[in-house]
Amino acid sequence: GYGEEDALVKAESSMLAKGLERALSGIKAGQESRYAVSGVCLRLKKATILHAVSTTGVQLTQANIPCESSSNAAAFFDAGNQKPALLPHKVAQLFYKICSAASGEAVIVGTQNQIYLKAGPVTVSGLLAQQTFPNYDLMIKGIITNKECRINAEALKKAIGRTMTMVSEETNGIAFTFSEKKVVLSSASQDKGKSRVVLDCQLEGES
C-alpha cells in the first residue's frame, strides 16, 4: 500500500482539476490515435509548480498548477526524461472528474509505469503512456510562461482574422512576439504574402 508520506505531489483538488481541464481542452477530437494529441504530460517545472501540458504538434496548451512536491518528485516528473509522466486521454479525463468532485488536497503517487490519484475518499490508478513527449521548451522558445498578457479581446479577434488571411497550408500558423507593452501577430506565405498586426497589451508576472 501507500500513504500520503509516499506522495510525489500534493495540490488542491480544485487547482488540479482546473489544470487538467485546460490541458484536456487542447486535445482535438478525432485525433486521439496520436499520443501527442491524446495525452496530458505532467512535468514538475519547479518544486512548487506542476505543468499539465497537451499538444497537437502545432498548438500547445499548458496549465501551471501550484503544488508541494517531495524530494523524489523530480525523478518521476523528470524534465529531461524521455518517458515522462504522460497520462493517456482517458486517464486524464478520469483524474479530472474525480478532482472536480472532491474538495481539499489531492495526492499523486507514481511508479515507473503507473500513477495513482487520491482525492477525497476516492483513490484511482492508471497506466502511464510509454511514448515520448515533445520537448515543449523548444516550442515556446524561451517565453517566460509564468507571465500573463492582457489584450483587448475584440482587438485580438480582429487581429487574428487579419493575419489568418495570409496563412497557408505550408505555414499553418501565426507568430506572436511579445514585449512589455506590445504584441505583434505575423504570418507569411509564398503565394499570399505577409501580414503584421501590432496590438497594445499589458504583460504581467515575474521575469
Side-chain angles (χ1 to χ4, degrees):
Y2 65 88
E4 290 192 6
E5 67 276 5
D6 302 314
L8 293 172
V9 170
K10 297 179 182 180
E12 285 297 315
S13 297
S14 60
M15 297 302 295
L16 189 54
K18 185 177 179 180
L20 289 171
E21 181 181 29
R22 182 173 180 181
L24 285 166
S25 71
I27 298 175
K28 293 185 178 180
Q31 294 181 305
E32 296 178 10
S33 59
R34 294 173 52 194
Y35 80 91
V37 300
S38 64
V40 172
C41 178
L42 297 180
R43 173 181 171 186
L44 196 64
K45 184 65 174 180
K46 299 179 181 178
T48 57
I49 297 292
L50 181 68
H51 284 182
V53 188
S54 65
T55 178
T56 64
V58 176
Q59 175 181 313
L60 180 78
T61 303
Q62 175 185 306
N64 296 343
I65 305 168
C67 70
E68 297 178 12
S69 60
S70 59
S71 58
N72 60 346
F76 186 72
F77 298 101
D78 184 1
N81 192 349
Q82 293 304 304
K83 290 187 177 180
L86 181 57
L87 305 181
H89 191 187
K90 290 184 178 180
V91 174
Q93 286 180 316
L94 177 61
F95 280 19
Y96 162 68
K97 290 178 181 178
I98 289 173
C99 288
S100 296
S103 60
E105 192 173 68
V107 181
I108 296 175
V109 180
T111 64
Q112 185 175 2
N113 60 2
Q114 198 162 16
I115 191 165
Y116 298 83
L117 170 72
K118 182 178 185 297
V122 180
T123 300
V124 293
S125 65
L127 291 175
L128 294 172
Q130 295 302 302
Q131 299 92 340
T132 57
F133 192 82
N135 185 346
Y136 58 90
D137 281 337
L138 297 179
M139 296 179 67
I140 59 178
K141 295 182 180 179
I143 293 175
I144 305 302
T145 55
N146 62 341
K147 284 195 171 185
E148 291 185 355
C149 183
R150 298 184 182 275
I151 311 172
N152 179 275
E154 187 62 28
L156 179 60
K157 180 179 178 180
K158 291 179 179 179
I160 291 174
R162 287 177 58 186
T163 49
M164 279 296 293
T165 61
M166 298 300 174
V167 173
S168 67
E169 292 183 0
E170 289 76 22
T171 56
N172 195 31
I174 298 172
F176 285 72
T177 304
F178 295 90
S179 61
E180 187 175 351
K181 295 183 179 181
K182 301 288 184 182
V183 56
V184 179
L185 285 70
S186 58
S187 61
S189 65
Q190 291 183 348
D191 56 332
K192 294 183 178 182
K194 298 180 180 180
S195 177
R196 184 176 184 271
V197 180
V198 181
L199 297 177
D200 292 329
C201 73
Q202 185 177 355
L203 206 59
E204 301 175 346
E206 298 178 0
S207 300

